[in-house]
Amino acid sequence: MKKLFVYLTLLIGISSFAQSGAKIEFKEETINYGEVEKGKDDGIRVFEFTNTGDQPLIIKNAKSSCGCTVPEWPKEPIPPGGKSQIKVQYNMNPGPISKTITIETNAINKENGMIPLRIKGTVIVKEEVSPLVKKKTFPNS
């Protein structure tokens, strides 16, 4: 009888640790643009996620570390098991990319429901050589 009581107590204790609520899981939390050429890439990338919890997931806000990166997020609740995405557009300023987009949610599996998403890479500008510019040649010696 004592063993049965101990097992029941353990079972109830373990099940009480399983929290109820929305949970968010991203396919990836960092997107690497790599080396991209300005004018040939629109700067749009997508972070895909799933609500793995048992309550609707609400994205309350999404904000970037600067005005050069604009996030778009779903305004409607994502049901349990539902998938959605956060679209991010970088303005493709030449040079290195290292930006953070902070997502504010009701997810219980992230500290305070906050998720930092990151984009990184390098934007390059290819120099175009005009056909009117004569190439420098060295005389044969």
Side-chain angles (χ1 to χ4, degrees):
M1 188 68 161
K2 285 184 180 181
K3 284 185 179 180
L4 179 62
F5 180 72
V6 169
Y7 288 129
L8 283 175
T9 304
L10 284 174
L11 184 63
I12 291 170
I14 290 171
S15 65
S16 68
F17 284 111
Q19 293 180 324
S20 177
K23 295 180 182 176
I24 191 167
E25 295 295 332
F26 280 89
K27 191 173 179 181
E28 56 188 335
E29 292 186 11
T30 299
I31 292 181
N32 188 349
Y33 281 58
E35 190 173 275
V36 292
E37 190 176 335
K38 183 174 177 79
K40 291 195 175 180
D41 190 310
D42 61 8
I44 297 174
R45 299 297 186 272
V46 175
F47 290 93
E48 297 176 356
F49 65 88
T50 303
N51 178 1
T52 58
D54 58 6
Q55 300 285 324
L57 173 69
I58 299 168
I59 309 284
K60 300 173 185 176
N61 196 10
K63 54 187 168 188
S64 172
S65 57
C66 77
C68 60
T69 308
V70 180
E72 288 182 32
W73 66 95
K75 307 300 189 261
E76 68 283 345
I78 312 303
K83 297 178 184 255
S84 193
Q85 60 187 17
I86 294 173
K87 185 166 73 168
V88 176
Q89 182 166 17
Y90 179 66
N91 71 0
M92 303 304 282
N93 283 336
I97 304 169
S98 181
K99 306 297 175 194
T100 301
I101 300 91
T102 304
I103 311 302
E104 184 182 343
T105 73
N106 66 332
I108 61 170
N109 63 324
K110 300 292 182 177
E111 189 175 337
N112 298 320
M114 305 295 268
I115 303 101
L117 302 176
R118 293 179 175 83
I119 59 172
K120 62 182 185 176
T122 305
V123 177
I124 60 170
V125 178
K126 288 226 174 169
E127 291 184 36
E128 292 187 28
V129 178
S130 170
L132 301 175
V133 175
K134 186 175 180 180
K135 287 186 178 180
K136 293 181 181 178
T137 57
F138 296 100
N140 293 339
S141 323

